[in-house]
């Protein structure tokens, strides 16, 4: 583990403290050990959520690319759709098409449908600004981000949580990703897709 890697050396550089009026970077004093521990845990959980989601996202793309080499799937559309819903539909079509993957459809479909449940938290974890509200007990974690919407409208997204809720979310998506990895590993070995 890279426990000896240090971040910025400025006091409090990693912490933005939310105030009721707005945000202020409190650099005048060193953050408390409790605040530092909360930030470290939030960063770790954020990475766990993003990493788990990315693993599933990679696998659904990988299986489409590998299966397209097989004659029974060559008639399916080429390319990789950008939108998550379209990518999931693409891999679901693969599992519904007559061929070696059809026998895994009953197991794969519910897992594939499950990925969309994690999209909103993945977006917030990947793109949101993290703010620790250290004046609450337990500390409140805020994630904020701007979103461009239709009609040139900009909205601000906000997610407030705490360590316990973020731990639960990270554990849930990690368990989900593990189930997908186990199924796909079994498919790759049985159907020799790793060789394609």
């Amino acid at each position: 583990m890279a426990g000896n890697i240090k971040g910025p050396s400025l006091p409090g550089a990693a912490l933005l403290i939310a105030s009721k009026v707005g945000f202020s970077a409190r650099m005048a004093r060193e953050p408390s050990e409790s605040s530092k521990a909360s930030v470290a845990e939030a960063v770790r959980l954020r990475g766990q959520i993003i990493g788990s989601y990315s693993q599933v996202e990679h696998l659904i793309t990988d299986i489409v690319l590998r299966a397209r080499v097989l004659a029974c799937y060559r008639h399916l559309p080429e390319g990789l759709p950008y939108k998550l819903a379209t990518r999931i539909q693409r891999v679901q079509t693969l599992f519904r098409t007559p061929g070696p993957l059809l026998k895994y459809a009953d197991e794969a479909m519910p897992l594939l449908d499950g990925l969309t449940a994690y999209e909103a938290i993945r977006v917030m974890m990947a793109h949101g600004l993290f703010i620790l509200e250290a004046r609450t007990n337990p500390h409140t974690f805020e994630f904020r981000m701007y979103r461009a919407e239709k009609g040139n409208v900009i909205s601000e997204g906000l997610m407030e949580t705490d360590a316990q809720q973020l731990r639960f979310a990270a554990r849930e998506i990690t368990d989900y990703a593990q189930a997908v990895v186990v199924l796909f590993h079994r498919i790759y070995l049985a159907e020799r897709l790793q060789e394609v």
Side-chain angles (χ1 to χ4, degrees), residues 19-36:
S19 69
K20 299 300 175 200
V21 183
F23 304 109
S24 62
R26 296 202 178 157
M27 304 289 245
R29 62 182 171 83
E30 184 70 20
S32 70
E33 291 305 313
S34 172
S35 293
K36 289 178 185 178

Side-chain angles (χ1 to χ4, degrees), residues 9 46 63-64 75 140 147 155 170:
S9 59
R46 183 182 202 175
I63 200 164
V64 168
H75 69 283
T140 301
R147 293 186 177 109
S155 67

Side-chain angles (χ1 to χ4, degrees), residues 101-123:
L101 300 181
L102 184 61
K103 63 184 163 229
Y104 303 100
D106 290 342
E107 289 178 87
M109 293 304 172
L111 287 174
L112 295 169
D113 287 336
L115 186 59
T116 57
Y118 302 106
E119 175 65 2
I121 193 169
R122 195 277 311 170
V123 168

